[in-house]
């Protein structure tokens, strides 16, 4: 077990990725990417940290804080530098189908881990998840203006527009549709 700055770390010190995050609540650091794992540290709200990896589900990040290397729950970490795509899979897994980053048309970026639904409303079933910081192609917007029809890899569905910011193009130029 490595010792970094006099603190025993639960994981090997990983390679720097250039990805940084900001903690959006008081957040535990755990030995493994699960709430059943032992707590090894706590990061206060607003702390800026280095991110070293992700798990296959994109819901946990490998972090380093004050010499402690471990896992923290991704929905409570906002990526402020770099992108999710830069993070390697550090839990011994890799996704079966990695979505390619969106590059054409109107592109929006998720500012939260955002659900993808089968239609423009909360009553529609969930069909996927867009991880925080991921860029997706915007295909349409709902007639009430509350939902975006997006493409994330091979998944096409609807997400709540409040959780996205434009990074390329103008969202008002995409078609209005509820289909």
């Amino acid at each position: 077990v490595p010792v970094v700055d006099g603190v025993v770390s639960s994981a090997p010190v990983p390679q720097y990725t250039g990805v940084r995050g900001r903690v959006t609540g008081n957040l535990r650091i755990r030995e493994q990417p699960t709430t059943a794992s032992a707590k090894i540290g706590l990061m206060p709200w607003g702390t800026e940290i280095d991110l070293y990896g992700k798990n296959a589900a994109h819901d946990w990040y490998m972090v380093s804080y004050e010499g402690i290397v471990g896992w923290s729950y991704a929905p409570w970490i906002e990526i402020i530098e770099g992108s999710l795509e830069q993070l390697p899979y550090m839990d011994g897994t890799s996704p079966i189908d990695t979505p390619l980053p969106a590059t054409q048309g109107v592109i929006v970026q998720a500012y939260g881990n955002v659900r993808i639904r089968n239609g423009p409303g909360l009553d529609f079933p969930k069909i996927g998840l867009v991880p925080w910081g991921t860029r997706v192609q915007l295909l349409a917007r709902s007639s009430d203006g509350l939902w975006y029809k997006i493409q994330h890899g091979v998944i096409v569905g609807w997400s709540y527009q409040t959780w996205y910011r434009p990074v390329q193009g103008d969202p008002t130029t995409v078609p209005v549709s509820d289909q």
Side-chain angles (χ1 to χ4, degrees), residues 42-155:
L42 180 69
M43 298 179 288
W45 180 89
T47 301
E48 293 188 8
I49 53 172
D50 292 326
L51 302 179
Y52 290 98
K54 60 190 171 196
N55 67 340
H58 299 177
D59 56 353
W60 290 84
Y61 293 141
M62 181 177 271
V63 301
S64 175
Y65 173 68
E66 293 187 343
I68 299 170
V69 176
W71 293 89
S72 289
Y73 194 51
W76 293 100
I77 300 173
E78 171 188 9
I79 293 177
I80 58 172
E81 192 174 304
S83 70
L84 181 74
E85 290 82 17
Q86 290 174 251
L87 295 175
Y89 291 92
M90 298 294 286
D91 63 342
T93 65
S94 61
I96 295 168
D97 183 9
T98 304
L100 296 173
T103 58
Q104 298 178 10
V106 178
I107 307 300
V108 292
Q109 184 171 8
Y111 281 84
N113 291 318
V114 190
R115 291 181 184 96
I116 304 171
R117 295 184 177 272
N118 206 20
L122 294 174
D123 295 335
F124 290 93
K126 297 173 226 168
I127 59 171
L129 179 77
V130 178
W132 196 315
T134 302
R135 294 176 180 200
V136 296
Q137 185 172 11
L138 180 59
L139 305 174
R141 53 197 168 98
S142 63
S143 59
D144 63 8
L146 298 177
W147 296 85
Y148 281 164
K149 186 174 188 178
I150 62 162
Q151 181 167 357
H152 175 50
V154 297
I155 299 172

